[in-house]
Structure formats: structure tokens, C-alpha cells
Amino acid sequence: MAVAMASGSFSVCAGLKSVTNHRLSSLKEVHFNSFVTSSRRLLSSAALDVPKAASAAAVEDGETDTVPIPKVVIDQDSDADATIVEITFGDRLGALLDTMNALKNLGLNVVKAKVFLDSSGKHNKFAITKASTGRKVEDPELLEAIRLTIINNLLQYHPESSTQLAMGEAFGIDPPAEKVDVDIATHVNVYDDGPNRSLLYVEAADRPGLLVDLVKIITDINISVESGEFDTEGLLAKAKFHVSYKDKAISKPLQQVLANSLRYFLRRPSTEDASF
């Protein structure tokens, strides 16, 4: 997710936090619209009432039996003025007009859009800004709402994608056949990236609210998030953050504290369930 993230903008919404700390299975009765609106007060009037896919008959005729792995990239690094979103699902995606309209309902403008093909499939790429400011999105809660809105539209218009997405467990017609072992899937690494910042890589099992939780854990130990990229690849989430401590690269001892904090949280995602 290449998005310029000002450290002061990372306030965490209690509504989203309470939902993300519950197991994904507990979301079975939760409508996607109510989940997103609880994550951001400003979305309370947004038209996100998209029903859960009800039938596999929506899968287009002529498609192969092999379902491609959906990929959603939220990129804050590659454009100084806009958040870049890229969506890939083999060659099955159309113009995504419904997705663009859903993003506009979040108070966003799609200022540029393009489509290109490569060996991995058809890529739909959007440049997004906040309608109120004309600037890129820096709030992690809104970035997570963007991600979940895109995934929800994938589940609605391509219900076959539910078997390849973690959110298919709660919102799709068929849950993923594979279950991700969080201990095996979790990887956290911190590298030096010059004198003034470090590079943090995180890979983990995907779930709603993960982006917000990652940023909160990082900033709770007084580390600033400058920019980053957040990728959803099937059942996994992969994040890259440029981070610093007091405008300097993170020291080795603090790198270890950061890595241990993230590993503990990601490998034990339900440790706080008893508090609710």
C-alpha cells in the first residue's frame, strides 16, 4: 500500500477495534454495511448496503474451473498526490464501475483509472483522493474501509472469489477450503533503509481491520509510520511500511521490540476476546 501516512493521523476508532478483536467466525451475522459504518463515524450516511452474494450462478459462463487468486493493492508510495489502488482477479474483472461508485460513497474521488494486461491477468488501477481535500488518503481507518469495500464488491459480483478470500468466511457464498495457520503465515522483518528510516515487512493471515491494528501496534510504541503499501493476496495480507523513531532509523533493540510485538499480536489474534 503505497500511501503517505502522517503519523499524527493514526487515531483508531473504537468501533472498528472492537469488531476486529472478535474471531472472524463471529461476523457471520454481521452485515458488511454495518461493519464499515462502525469503523468510521463519517461513513454513517454512506450508501454501502451491498448484499451478500446469494448464488454461485452469478459466475460467468465459459470461465475455467480454476479460480484465480484475487489481489488488492493499496499503494501510498508511488504517487505523492493520490492513493493508488490496484485490483487483479485473473482476466475476470470488467470496468469496475460499481466499485468506483462505492468508493465515491466513502467521500473519495477517482481522479485517474487505467487497465493493463500482463501474464498475471487484467489489472485495474485507480488514483484516489479525498473529495473534501483533493489530497491522498492518510487515515488508516479510511484506507481499511477502501480495502473492505473493494473486497465486498468482489464477493458480490464475483462470488466464486469467496473461496480465495479470508473475508469469504463471513461474507461469501463459500468459505475458503484452506485454513491459514497463523503461526506459519506470520512473518515480520525490519531492515535499515538509510539513516532516517527503516523498512518494516509484515505478512499475516488476513482479516477485517488488520491494517488499522498494525498501525496502532506500531504507533503505540512511539514509532512513526511515514508511508507504506498494503496488499491483500487471497488469504494473506502483506504490508510494507517506512517507519522511523524520532526522525531516525530504528535501532536494533527497538527493531526487536517492534517485531516481537507484531508477532505476538498476529499469532494470537483472539487474546483479547475475553475482555468483550
Side-chain angles (χ1 to χ4, degrees), residues 52-72:
K52 180 176 175 179
S55 171
V59 180
E60 296 179 9
D61 293 336
E63 291 181 348
T64 63
D65 291 334
T66 302
V67 178
I69 295 177
K71 184 174 181 180
V72 178

Side-chain angles (χ1 to χ4, degrees), residues 30-34 46-53 98-99 101-102 105 148-157 171:
V30 180
H31 192 282
F32 181 83
N33 181 47
S34 63
L48 285 173
D49 191 11
V50 181
K52 180 176 175 179
D98 292 285
T99 296
N101 286 332
N105 289 335
L148 295 180
T149 296
I150 292 169
I151 291 172
N152 185 67
N153 272 31
L154 269 173
L155 291 170
Q156 183 196 5
Y157 295 106
F171 306 115

Side-chain angles (χ1 to χ4, degrees), residues 56-252:
V59 180
E60 296 179 9
D61 293 336
E63 291 181 348
T64 63
D65 291 334
T66 302
V67 178
I69 295 177
K71 184 174 181 180
V72 178
V73 176
I74 309 289
D75 173 14
Q76 295 286 70
D77 284 331
S78 60
D79 192 309
D81 301 313
T83 295
I84 305 300
V85 174
E86 185 176 323
I87 310 167
T88 309
F89 186 44
D91 59 358
R92 303 189 181 201
L93 297 180
L96 297 184
L97 296 179
D98 292 285
T99 296
M100 286 192 279
N101 286 332
L103 293 174
K104 290 177 182 177
N105 289 335
L106 296 179
L108 303 168
N109 287 330
V110 179
V111 294
K112 289 185 292 186
K114 69 176 183 178
V115 177
F116 64 94
L117 297 171
D118 63 15
S119 59
S120 65
K122 180 180 178 182
H123 300 252
N124 294 66
K125 203 168 186 177
F126 309 128
I128 296 172
T129 60
K130 290 185 69 175
S132 60
T133 63
R135 300 176 64 85
K136 71 194 306 177
V137 181
E138 296 184 343
D139 183 350
E141 294 172 12
L142 182 52
L143 291 170
E144 180 69 343
I146 291 169
R147 185 176 80 96
L148 295 180
T149 296
I150 292 169
I151 291 172
N152 185 67
N153 272 31
L154 269 173
L155 291 170
Q156 183 196 5
Y157 295 106
H158 294 275
E160 73 276 19
S161 67
S162 69
T163 62
Q164 300 280 18
L165 287 165
M167 257 59 91
E169 182 78 30
F171 306 115
I173 58 169
D174 293 309
E178 297 181 30
K179 302 298 181 183
V180 176
D181 186 313
V182 294
D183 291 320
I184 296 174
T186 300
H187 303 280
V188 180
N189 295 287
V190 187
Y191 304 98
D192 294 331
D193 189 29
N196 298 322
R197 67 182 189 179
S198 301
L199 190 59
L200 168 65
Y201 283 101
V202 179
E203 182 173 332
D206 190 27
R207 65 176 183 272
L210 181 59
L211 172 57
V212 175
D213 284 338
L214 289 177
V215 172
K216 183 181 187 302
I217 292 167
I218 296 167
T219 55
D220 274 354
I221 53 178
N222 298 317
I223 293 175
S224 299
V225 180
E226 299 175 6
S227 63
E229 178 175 321
F230 194 92
D231 301 351
T232 306
E233 295 185 21
L235 304 179
L236 298 176
K238 300 177 182 181
K240 177 185 73 176
F241 296 114
H242 297 290
V243 295
S244 63
Y245 178 70
K246 295 184 177 179
D247 299 321
K248 298 294 182 183
I250 301 174
S251 65
K252 295 299 182 183

Side-chain angles (χ1 to χ4, degrees), residues 6-81:
S7 59
S9 67
F10 291 110
S11 60
V12 178
C13 174
L16 178 59
K17 180 64 178 174
S18 65
V19 173
T20 57
N21 279 331
H22 284 71
R23 293 184 181 90
L24 189 59
S25 60
S26 69
L27 293 173
K28 289 287 187 179
E29 303 298 324
V30 180
H31 192 282
F32 181 83
N33 181 47
S34 63
F35 172 80
V36 174
T37 53
S38 70
S39 71
R40 284 185 59 81
R41 289 190 297 272
L42 69 82
L43 298 182
S44 59
S45 62
L48 285 173
D49 191 11
V50 181
K52 180 176 175 179
S55 171
V59 180
E60 296 179 9
D61 293 336
E63 291 181 348
T64 63
D65 291 334
T66 302
V67 178
I69 295 177
K71 184 174 181 180
V72 178
V73 176
I74 309 289
D75 173 14
Q76 295 286 70
D77 284 331
S78 60
D79 192 309
D81 301 313

